Amino acid sequence: MGLKSNLVLALAASLALLLFIGTVWLWPRFAGRTWRAVLGRVTLLAATQALVFSTVGLSANRTFEFYASWSDLFGQERQMGVVQDHAAGGGASTLVKVLGKQRVNHVPGSSEPTIGGQIQRVEISGQTSRIASNAYVYLPPEYFQPEYEDRTFPASVVITGFPGTAENLLNGLRYPATAHEQARKGTMRPMVLVMLRPTVAPPRDTECVDVPNGPQTETFFAQDLPTAISRHYRVGEKPENWGVIGNSTGGYCALKIAVKHPDRFAAGAGLSAGYKAPQDRDTGDLFHGDKRLERRADLLWLLDHEPPPPVSLLVTSSKEGEGNYRDTLRLIDKVRPPTRVSSIILERGGHNFTTWRREIPPALEWLSGRLSAT
């Protein structure tokens, strides 16, 4: 019984209801002041509350996809990223391995790829970073249609927050279904989405930084990933063919990658992003005393001290409910040509899936408008 299964949720809710009824029924028996009566009342109340909170937690996890499994919940997912060596000029078959294929949820007719598109679960091997990470690749219906067989598609890297899972992007935030609907309405062009979490060296939160003598996460996202995907799929290799978008930690990664790598990406969108890499228990020492590396992980510093890159940026926040509102305004004020900046500023909205689902459709339209296909 998986953490997100309907059976687990139904079982927890049923037990909570039975315990509540039992507590009401048995309460008179424990009305005395003896230690047995007091212990009985405490036990009934504690057990009922524990099951009620468990039910609420399980329901919230199904909605927001915080944890993918029981082992993920209890911190047992500690398998490190796999280092793989590759010969120079390795082909697509060595860089992208397709592990499975599935339909796109929430899309009518999705059992047929030419109608609903397809999601492929893959392992991407980094030739330079020597990091291997699992991801999901959304291929739009047009990718399978004969009239597009000679076309090259634009692509965007989609990065979730920490400690989220890539499944968040499929089910909780519904990127594939949203992209399908937007393309169907003609508000964005068909686009390949490469969806994964920023934790490519679990359990560490590397904030998409090339850690000295550690995981070369920035190199994986900025260089290895687009190279591998372009070799395996009909995706362009030029900067104008590539965008990057993310929420929370993934939003910070997206903006930083776009700003620092305009030779690979034309646009970056950060939903509720931070603008500086934190250093805490989850990150460890990211910079090993290298102040230059630490400064270059600060987007506000980069925009002040380095030449403005020829990229388009989208930032989002809300006036009430988000902690990045003032820094978002500061970032907007620091942007200078040829960098361009756009924003989505909500009146209210917290740091959660509900807010991001309000921002993803216009963000994908914006991203599509700044990329090109060949």
Side-chain angles (χ1 to χ4, degrees):
M1 293 189 292
L3 177 63
K4 297 186 292 182
S5 73
N6 291 329
L7 181 58
V8 169
L9 180 60
L11 182 61
S14 299
L15 288 175
L17 179 60
L18 288 174
L19 263 176
F20 174 76
I21 295 172
T23 299
V24 174
W25 182 262
L26 295 172
W27 195 258
R29 295 189 181 185
F30 298 104
R33 295 183 179 180
T34 66
W35 69 269
R36 293 179 184 276
V38 172
L39 181 60
R41 292 196 298 270
V42 170
T43 301
L44 285 171
L45 289 174
T48 302
Q49 289 186 359
L51 278 169
V52 168
F53 283 124
S54 296
T55 302
V56 172
L58 288 167
S59 179
N61 188 65
R62 280 172 53 83
T63 301
F64 296 110
E65 302 274 342
F66 295 120
Y67 299 98
S69 63
W70 293 109
S71 59
D72 190 20
L73 173 65
F74 292 112
Q76 296 171 338
E77 289 288 349
R78 295 184 174 273
Q79 181 180 358
M80 300 301 290
V82 179
V83 175
Q84 298 187 5
D85 295 320
H86 305 279
S93 61
T94 66
L95 300 181
V96 175
K97 181 180 179 181
V98 178
L99 306 176
K101 300 176 182 181
Q102 63 193 65
R103 61 189 293 176
V104 181
N105 291 332
H106 315 294
V107 170
S110 60
S111 58
E112 177 56 52
T114 56
I115 298 174
Q118 186 180 85
I119 294 172
Q120 297 187 354
R121 185 167 61 89
V122 303
E123 181 184 71
I124 301 173
S125 297
Q127 214 169 7
T128 302
S129 66
R130 303 196 345 182
I131 287 174
S133 180
N134 287 348
Y136 290 94
V137 177
Y138 164 70
L139 302 172
E142 291 80 2
Y143 193 90
F144 301 96
Q145 296 170 2
E147 58 266 39
Y148 287 88
E149 63 182 7
D150 296 324
R151 296 289 301 275
T152 298
F153 291 80
S156 287
V157 182
V158 187
I159 311 173
T160 190
F162 176 86
T165 66
E167 288 80 7
N168 291 346
L169 302 169
L170 276 63
N171 303 320
L173 296 177
R174 300 187 179 184
Y175 269 93
T178 303
H180 182 279
E181 177 63 14
Q182 302 294 92
R184 187 189 65 80
K185 295 190 300 185
T187 57
M188 65 174 283
R189 61 168 52 92
M191 182 187 303
V192 172
L193 301 179
V194 186
M195 299 165 285
L196 68 171
R197 61 179 183 169
T199 317
V200 294
R204 189 175 186 183
D205 173 19
T206 59
E207 295 287 321
C208 298
V209 167
D210 278 349
V211 181
N213 301 314
Q216 303 296 288
T217 312
E218 182 178 330
T219 296
F220 174 80
F221 278 104
Q223 298 181 27
D224 290 339
L225 187 153
T227 296
I229 294 297
S230 294
R231 290 184 183 181
H232 190 84
Y233 297 99
R234 299 198 312 275
V235 170
E237 299 179 352
K238 298 178 181 178
E240 56 266 29
N241 304 136
W242 278 91
V244 55
I245 182 173
N247 59 278
S248 192
T249 298
Y252 162 72
C253 290
L255 294 172
K256 181 177 66 173
I257 288 168
V259 167
K260 295 179 67 174
H261 300 274
D263 59 322
R264 305 304 295 264
F265 295 87
L271 313 183
S272 304
Y275 303 117
K276 181 179 180 180
Q279 294 196 75
D280 52 30
R281 183 179 62 182
D282 292 320
T283 65
D285 185 0
L286 291 176
F287 308 110
H288 292 213
D290 188 332
K291 293 299 181 182
R292 178 179 176 275
L293 185 61
E294 183 174 356
R295 288 192 297 268
R296 297 196 78 246
D298 184 335
L299 285 167
L300 300 179
W301 186 92
L302 280 174
L303 293 174
D304 270 341
H305 294 88
E306 297 204 353
V311 296
S312 296
L313 305 177
L314 172 67
V315 292
T316 80
S317 187
S318 60
K319 296 178 182 178
E320 182 180 332
E322 281 282 15
N324 74 337
Y325 176 61
R326 292 186 182 277
D327 280 343
T328 297
L329 298 182
R330 290 178 60 203
L331 182 141
I332 293 170
D333 187 58
K334 291 176 181 293
V335 169
R336 300 288 182 269
T339 307
R340 297 185 297 171
V341 65
S342 305
S343 67
I344 299 173
I345 305 295
L346 304 176
E347 288 296 322
R348 297 176 187 83
H351 198 79
N352 55 50
F353 280 29
T354 301
T355 296
W356 299 327
R357 281 195 289 259
R358 297 162 62 193
E359 298 168 343
I360 288 170
L364 285 178
E365 290 183 29
W366 174 90
L367 200 56
S368 172
R370 280 142 186 86
L371 304 182
S372 62
T374 55

